[in-house]
Amino acid sequence: MSTVSRKKAIITGGTRGIGKAIVKELASPNENGIIFSDIAFIYGSCDECAEEIIKTVGSSDANVFAFKADVSSYSDAQSIVEKAVSKLGGVDILVNNAGITRDNLLLRMSEEEFDAVIRVNLKSVFNYTKAVLKHMIQQKYGRIINIASVVGLIGNAGQANYAASKAGIIGFTKATAREVASRGITVNAVAPGFIETDMTSKLNEKQRETLLSNIPLKRLGTPEDVAKTVKFLSSNQASYITGQVIAVDGGMTM
Ligand code: NAP
């Protein structure tokens, strides 16, 4: 497959924050002026957000399709991937991005808070990876990028559920990378640090200051910082990289 061929990508959680930036980045033209990828994205609730993205990103020449579903549902994932593959004409790239937080100290954390985060953040990665694999194996080509977190590497008080889900994603990434490497499929994880999105907008000034003091580059990341790394890992330039976790964190976890 040549570098200039137009790819087909499925992205979970494409309506806000990092996922929205990934949709825009993958749908934008590469240096040859050719749209990098047509897109099918999945979102959980915000219909207006999905329509706005189809209008703005779709008008730039890329084909963009949206599917509303709960990513934690195994059966929905199988049927949505089939619908997306038929709209796109195949699938070359999967970005498992959808995620939630339900923070609480462990002693106060409810079973629901634990289960919800594991289902949405981790089980969804199994659901969508399994659904795209048969297509990628058949064509002997694929790029799978899982959005983990630095919290999955170093932990964070009040986020035992979230840290477990993200560490789980890292293990899943490495195991899957080993299983499918011989089929021309790479599987990598991106571990963002603190990125300016709805997920981090609840931080107060004091929490922000403490965070910044631990970030050598002295700023929070942007969704675009993460999206550009995802685009690189999706490209043919990254064909010799698999099973890796790339931290996009301003140097926080070096
Ligand atoms: P966000 O702004 O809260 O957006 C989350 C996206 O996921 C939305 O598009 C949302 O769709 C979708 N989503 C959530 N639950 C879903 C479900 N059950 N089914 C389908 N879609 C669902 O989050 P973000 O900050 O961009 O984070 C994106 C990813 O990066 C997550 O995996 C997160 O853990 C990871 N991350 C973020 C940061 C950070 O600092 N922001 C740091 C490290 C890792 P609807 O709104 O339509 O429901």
Side-chain angles (χ1 to χ4, degrees):
M1 196 170 284
S2 91
T3 16
V4 294
S5 73
R6 191 158 162 154
K7 303 279 200 301
K8 298 138 191 147
I10 297 177
I11 300 163
T12 70
T15 41
R16 289 187 288 113
I18 294 171
K20 183 177 173 181
I22 294 170
V23 170
K24 284 189 182 163
E25 188 62 39
L26 293 196
S28 64
N30 58 20
E31 63 278 11
N32 307 294
I34 293 165
I35 293 294
F36 182 77
S37 186
D38 292 313
I39 311 280
F41 70 84
I42 293 98
Y43 67 102
S45 57
C46 183
D47 296 325
E48 314 80 65
C49 309
E51 280 156 26
E52 191 251 347
I53 290 168
I54 291 173
K55 237 192 303 174
T56 52
V57 182
S59 64
S60 70
D61 232 22
N63 295 311
V64 180
F65 308 98
F67 296 92
K68 187 176 188 175
D70 179 351
V71 288
S72 66
S73 160
Y74 178 79
S75 56
D76 283 2
Q78 312 312 302
S79 68
I80 279 170
V81 165
E82 288 317 304
K83 284 184 200 152
V85 165
S86 123
K87 289 267 189 203
L88 294 168
V91 57
D92 303 306
I93 299 162
L94 169 68
V95 185
N96 283 305
N97 163 78
I100 58 168
T101 50
R102 293 287 182 273
D103 297 353
N104 223 335
L105 292 172
L106 188 58
L107 278 177
R108 293 196 201 128
M109 188 176 287
S110 67
E111 186 182 0
E112 288 70 31
E113 285 168 337
F114 188 84
D115 286 349
V117 169
I118 297 294
R119 273 201 314 271
V120 175
N121 296 9
L122 180 57
K123 187 175 173 232
S124 66
V125 176
F126 164 75
N127 294 342
Y128 281 82
T129 303
K130 190 162 175 207
V132 300
L133 263 189
K134 58 177 181 285
H135 297 283
M136 292 181 174
I137 286 172
Q138 220 165 25
Q139 71 195 9
K140 296 193 171 60
Y141 181 90
R143 295 274 183 273
I144 299 173
I145 296 108
N146 299 322
I147 307 300
S149 166
V150 291
V151 169
L153 295 168
I154 61 173
N156 195 22
Q159 290 199 308
N161 49 0
Y162 186 77
S165 74
K166 296 301 184 177
I169 287 177
I170 291 169
F172 182 94
T173 299
K174 293 181 184 211
T176 314
R178 286 183 187 276
E179 277 187 36
V180 298
S182 64
R183 314 298 182 101
I185 302 166
T186 64
V187 190
N188 290 289
V190 173
F194 285 90
I195 309 295
E196 300 269 13
T197 69
D198 293 347
M199 203 177 256
T200 46
S201 62
K202 298 159 213 152
L203 295 170
N204 63 36
E205 260 324 295
K206 188 154 189 319
Q207 287 170 315
R208 243 165 218 273
E209 271 170 35
T210 315
L211 268 178
L212 285 176
S213 67
N214 291 318
I215 301 173
L217 287 177
K218 292 290 170 231
R219 67 169 176 89
L220 264 63
T222 64
E224 291 71 31
D225 289 324
V226 180
K228 285 185 193 302
T229 307
V230 169
K231 189 172 190 173
F232 168 68
L233 289 171
S234 308
S235 74
N236 288 357
Q237 288 154 8
S239 62
Y240 201 54
I241 302 174
T242 197
Q244 301 304 307
V245 185
I246 314 253
V248 180
D249 66 353
M252 200 180 145
T253 56
M254 73 170 100

